[in-house]
């Protein structure tokens, strides 16, 4: 089946509840338990573990857990022997063991992960360390649809109940028939370079991992373009003006804390401007040479799970890492280090 046929099948499944419900027993599924994702264990690459409907039902049943369409969302269509079958994400909650239980919930989930052929991990770390873009995008969709479906229960217009689609791609008011769709927020993320393209301005967010520096990012406001958003966020967060901005034709869905779409830009600013960070957002912002950023890139590639983060306060404010490979900021910074982002091609 070609791409057009696949897209049209997904569109049909999204709105035809009965058709998708009949496909559920044939589907494959990826799993979250207590908002932790089941991923491959001790594998070269972090990937979501897939199971058939029958296998997952049996394996979860052995732990007294169950799933159904109410806590599942449609993610994709997969090639089968003669046709296509749905890929669902299912998210369940595990009950806490009794207080006098000799085994902790953490241990139960460890054992459950082993029996399912993987281990459970934090969603953010999974997004940051998955190398395959499709895996990251499916996870972003999984988390975003799950959270949206749990939030949209009542019609914002008339307060009547909403009837959620089986796919979780929309919800219709039972009274006024208004249909609501999953929402996301556009975010500009901008790599700032100097006019020589030999230095980059990177920032460290408040509460972020020590020694990790990244690009400036922020949500778009109503009535502004993404270029205007990038220019405003730079002024707000680091207190400087940029001479030019251009889009990098790169984007990434990001599901935390809520669903957003990160849209990449590069901007050029003079280094002689005084940096004035927004204390509510950032701890520090500094210019770094290409060599310094290259060293941080190499450290990140050799320690992708950030296991050796600095502990002392001074070290926390020093560039040691950039975001791991799953983040769009990593791709932007890496391309700049490799000379693939040239500020001289920038335009207003």
């Amino acid at each position: 089946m070609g791409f057009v046929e696949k897209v049209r099948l997904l569109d049909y499944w999204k709105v035809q509840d009965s058709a998708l419900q009949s496909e559920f027993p044939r589907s494959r599924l990826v799993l979250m338990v207590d908002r932790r994702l089941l991923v491959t264990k001790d594998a070269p690459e972090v990937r979501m573990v897939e199971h058939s409907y029958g296998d997952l039902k049996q394996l979860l049943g052995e732990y007294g857990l169950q799933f159904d369409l109410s806590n599942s969302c449609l993610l994709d269509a997969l090639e089968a022997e003669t046709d296509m079958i749905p890929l669902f994400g299912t998210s369940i909650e595990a009950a806490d063991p009794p207080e006098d239980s000799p085994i902790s919930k953490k241990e139960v989930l460890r054992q459950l992960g082993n029996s399912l052929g993987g281990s459970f991990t934090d969603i953010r770390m999974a997004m940051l360390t998955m190398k395959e873009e499709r895996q990251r995008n499916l996870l972003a969709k999984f988390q975003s649809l799950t959270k949206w479906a749990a939030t949209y229960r009542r019609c914002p217009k008339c307060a009547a109940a909403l009837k959620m689609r089986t796919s979780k791609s929309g919800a219709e008011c039972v009274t006024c028939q208004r249909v609501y769709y999953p929402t996301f927020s556009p975010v500009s993320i901008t790599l700032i370079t100097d006019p020589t393209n030999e230095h980059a301005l990177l920032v460290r967010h408040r509460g972020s991992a020590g020694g990790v520096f990244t690009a400036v990012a922020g949500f778009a406001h109503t009535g502004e373009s993404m270029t205007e958003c990038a220019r405003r966020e730079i002024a707000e967060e680091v207190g400087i003006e940029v001479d030019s901005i251009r889009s990098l034709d790169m984007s990434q869905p990001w599901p935390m804390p809520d669903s957003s779409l990160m849209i990449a830009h590069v901007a050029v600013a003079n280094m002689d401007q005084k940096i004035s960070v927004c204390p509510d957002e950032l701890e520090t912002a500094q210019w770094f040479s290409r060599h310094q950023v290259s060293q941080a890139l190499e450290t990140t590639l050799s320690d992708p799970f950030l296991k050796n983060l600095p502990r002392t306060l001074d070290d926390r404010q020093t560039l040691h890492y950039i975001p791991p490979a799953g983040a769009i900021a990593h791709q932007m910074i890496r391309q700049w280090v490799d000379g693939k982002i040239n500020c001289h091609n920038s335009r207003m």
Side-chain angles (χ1 to χ4, degrees):
M1 183 178 290
F3 178 72
V4 172
E5 290 78 11
K6 173 182 174 178
V7 168
R8 289 178 174 172
L9 177 61
L10 281 169
D11 192 52
Y12 174 73
W13 281 341
K14 285 179 182 178
V15 298
Q16 296 295 329
D17 285 351
S18 59
L20 187 57
Q21 289 163 9
S22 68
E23 294 285 343
F24 195 47
R26 294 203 315 138
S27 66
R28 295 189 66 79
L29 300 101
V30 293
L31 176 68
M32 280 196 285
V33 178
D34 293 347
R35 294 173 294 281
R36 294 179 67 82
L37 182 71
L38 180 67
V39 298
T40 50
K41 184 178 181 181
D42 302 324
E45 290 192 15
V46 177
R47 299 177 59 85
M48 292 184 285
V49 177
E50 292 182 17
H51 288 94
S52 68
Y53 171 89
D55 287 347
L56 188 61
K57 184 175 182 180
Q58 178 183 342
L59 291 166
L60 288 179
E62 294 173 359
Y63 285 80
L65 300 172
Q66 57 185 356
F67 65 94
D68 55 31
L69 282 165
S70 67
N71 51 20
S72 302
C73 58
L74 177 65
L75 300 181
D76 201 3
L78 304 177
E79 292 278 358
E81 291 184 1
T82 58
D83 57 358
M84 301 202 82
I85 60 174
L87 174 67
F88 278 90
T90 191
S91 180
I92 61 177
E93 301 289 329
D96 292 324
E99 290 185 5
D100 59 351
S101 173
I103 188 170
S104 67
K105 187 175 184 179
K106 182 178 180 180
E107 177 60 20
V108 171
L109 291 181
R110 188 192 68 80
Q111 293 180 8
L112 174 61
N114 284 338
S115 68
L116 292 169
S119 61
F120 291 99
T121 191
D122 175 75
I123 296 171
R124 179 181 295 275
M125 184 53 68
M127 283 290 297
L128 289 172
T129 54
M130 284 178 169
K131 293 184 179 180
E132 186 181 327
E133 182 180 17
R134 177 178 176 273
Q135 288 279 306
R136 297 194 300 268
N137 290 354
L138 286 175
L139 174 53
K141 185 176 184 179
F142 184 4
Q143 169 67 3
S144 296
L145 290 183
T146 298
K147 189 170 184 178
W148 181 82
T151 302
Y152 264 69
R153 299 297 181 90
R154 292 276 174 181
C155 175
K157 181 182 180 182
C158 70
L162 292 176
K163 182 180 183 297
M164 185 65 58
R165 289 178 181 171
T166 299
S167 62
K168 310 302 182 291
S169 65
E172 182 177 354
C173 177
V174 299
T175 300
C176 68
Q177 280 74 57
R178 178 169 293 208
V179 179
Y180 297 92
Y181 300 96
T183 56
F184 66 91
S185 301
V187 172
S188 69
I189 179 166
T190 308
L191 180 65
I192 306 167
T193 75
D194 77 315
T196 69
N197 203 34
E198 289 301 318
H199 296 83
L201 179 62
L202 302 180
V203 302
R204 218 181 80 69
H205 289 101
R206 289 183 63 85
S208 64
V212 180
F213 282 71
T214 186
V216 172
F219 291 97
H221 289 179
T222 302
E224 69 180 1
S225 67
M226 294 310 298
T227 299
E228 291 171 329
C229 171
R231 186 185 300 277
R232 173 184 53 76
E233 284 292 337
I234 292 168
E236 286 181 357
E237 294 200 1
V238 297
I240 66 172
E241 296 184 19
V242 295
D243 297 324
S244 58
I245 303 172
R246 73 177 177 94
S247 171
L248 290 176
D249 194 25
M250 298 167 61
S251 61
Q252 179 183 30
W254 190 259
M256 296 157 292
D258 296 302
S259 181
S260 60
L261 181 64
M262 311 283 288
I263 302 170
H265 297 77
V266 61
V268 181
N270 289 319
M271 292 177 63
D272 58 4
Q273 297 182 75
K274 181 181 178 181
I275 296 173
S276 173
V277 301
C278 174
D280 293 335
E281 300 281 345
L282 304 178
E283 289 193 5
T284 186
Q286 302 173 42
W287 286 101
F288 298 103
S289 68
R290 190 184 301 272
H291 176 68
Q292 289 174 303
V293 179
S294 178
Q295 287 183 313
L297 169 63
E298 291 303 316
T299 301
T300 306
L301 293 175
S302 63
D303 182 19
F305 293 93
L306 310 184
K307 294 181 178 180
N308 298 311
L309 291 171
R311 304 296 183 185
T312 67
L313 181 61
D314 287 344
D315 262 359
R316 286 175 58 84
Q317 306 301 338
T318 302
L319 174 64
H320 292 284
Y321 293 85
I322 64 171
I328 191 172
H330 178 101
Q331 306 304 323
M332 296 164 63
I333 295 169
R334 185 171 186 170
Q335 286 193 19
W336 177 77
V337 168
D338 292 342
K340 296 178 181 178
I341 293 178
N342 190 330
C343 67
H344 298 297
N345 293 330
S346 300
R347 60 179 182 276
M348 295 296 290

